[in-house]
Amino acid sequence: MIIKIFKDSEELGTALGHEFVEAVKENPHIILGLATGSSPLLTYASIAKESQERGVSFAGVKSFNLDEYLSCPLEDQTYRAFMEANLFSYIDIKKENTHFPSATGLSGYDEEIKEAGGVDFQLLGIGRNGHIGFNEPGTPADSLTHVVTLTESTRVANARFFRDDLSLVPTQAVTMGIGTIKKSKRIALIANTLDKAEPIAKLLRGEKDLECPVTALIDHPAFEVYLTEEVDAAVQKLLA
Ligand code: GLP
């Protein structure tokens, strides 16, 4: 595990966006694993800006998103809509090369990823309870793409995207499993807000704990953790 610490979210996003653009430049047919949430927003902005400035094309890139809501009542809050609004509309990735898991194609998603050659570079956020994708505490470390019932705390955390109305927040989602995520060749995880300090501290303690899903990645050979100074300071306090 490599820990990278940045002054603030902006510097973190710029640096990680650069890593992605470099990776695409090196391999124009790269398979990307993408995430939603607030954490990667500045990374996406940086990818959009730098790829435009440097003329790096995403036309040969394939993407597989981590997760998608089931029966989302607000069309503009689906994760596909999120990706369109925050990344896809700014780069020349082909729509047919962008993939999201769905309840109808459950077992097919892992197969599709495998057939494409496997995820080369996976971007991850982290939930306050240590979830990755929508793999809530207790999810087996070898799980593949599956349907999940969202925990109350995750729904409350995401209510801000649903007019702060909990009744509008979907109750289920489809997510890549922890086993699916672990197969990615390189993983970059962002923790840029203080509410993520606790699961990051658990991760840095280095003990696998099914109740904190991110700890399943501890022994991944190419796992990078991107922190802001503020988060790092809070983590160090928890570890002291
Ligand atoms: C959601 C997503 C996760 C994301 C998490 C954290 O639950 N399914 O992939 O990591 O939120 O979101 P945020 O980055 O907004 O804190």
Side-chain angles (χ1 to χ4, degrees):
M1 182 169 23
I2 300 170
I3 315 291
K4 301 190 178 190
I5 300 163
F6 297 86
K7 193 168 114 296
D8 53 28
S9 292
E10 191 119 35
E11 280 196 4
L12 188 161
T14 303
L16 186 49
H18 175 72
E19 291 292 321
F20 272 90
V21 175
E22 277 296 303
V24 173
K25 197 168 185 315
E26 250 169 56
N27 175 9
H29 296 285
I30 196 169
I31 313 298
L32 299 180
L34 299 176
T36 51
S38 323
S39 308
L41 284 175
L42 292 168
T43 300
Y44 289 149
S46 157
I47 293 175
K49 184 167 179 277
E50 190 176 325
S51 63
Q52 275 167 20
E53 282 170 3
R54 295 175 60 192
V56 176
S57 172
F58 281 65
V61 172
K62 283 189 184 146
S63 71
F64 289 87
N65 260 78
L66 277 171
D67 44 17
E68 180 58 284
Y69 288 123
L70 277 184
S71 311
C72 183
L74 303 183
E75 188 49 41
D76 61 349
Q77 292 306 327
T78 64
Y79 285 166
R80 177 173 280 285
F82 174 99
M83 291 307 301
E84 281 296 334
N86 294 295
L87 182 66
F88 294 163
S89 60
Y90 297 100
I91 57 177
D92 62 347
I93 196 164
K94 293 185 177 138
K95 189 167 184 194
E96 65 268 29
N97 286 344
T98 61
H99 306 270
F100 290 78
S102 72
T104 49
L106 268 187
S107 54
Y109 203 57
D110 288 270
E111 274 308 305
E112 258 185 279
I113 294 172
K114 196 172 158 196
E115 271 165 31
V119 170
D120 295 301
F121 196 179
Q122 175 72 55
L123 180 60
L124 282 185
I126 178 171
R128 295 166 195 190
N129 58 8
H131 75 232
I132 47 174
F134 268 132
N135 293 286
E136 299 285 13
T139 309
D142 58 357
S143 50
L144 299 178
T145 304
H146 61 289
V147 172
V148 286
T149 297
L150 302 178
T151 61
E152 188 70 4
S153 74
T154 296
R155 291 183 66 239
V156 169
N158 288 0
R160 66 192 192 281
F161 301 114
F162 292 86
R163 306 173 190 150
D164 281 320
D165 180 348
L166 196 58
S167 73
L168 290 176
V169 185
T171 54
Q172 287 191 309
V174 189
T175 182
M176 280 188 193
I178 298 177
T180 316
I181 295 169
K182 278 173 74 177
K183 284 183 198 144
S184 308
K185 291 164 200 139
R186 177 183 178 191
I187 300 175
L189 180 140
I190 304 172
N192 54 4
T193 50
L194 284 176
D195 53 347
K196 313 297 173 64
E198 231 167 84
I200 295 296
K202 284 193 182 147
L203 179 67
L204 297 195
R205 274 194 197 105
E207 285 160 33
K208 286 191 187 177
D209 175 1
L210 217 56
E211 289 309 307
C212 185
V214 71
T215 61
L217 302 179
I218 280 169
D219 48 14
H220 187 283
F223 179 34
E224 298 157 32
V225 180
Y226 285 70
L227 305 178
T228 56
E229 280 177 5
E230 182 188 52
V231 172
D232 178 54
V235 169
Q236 295 312 324
K237 254 191 202 165
L238 289 170
L239 291 177

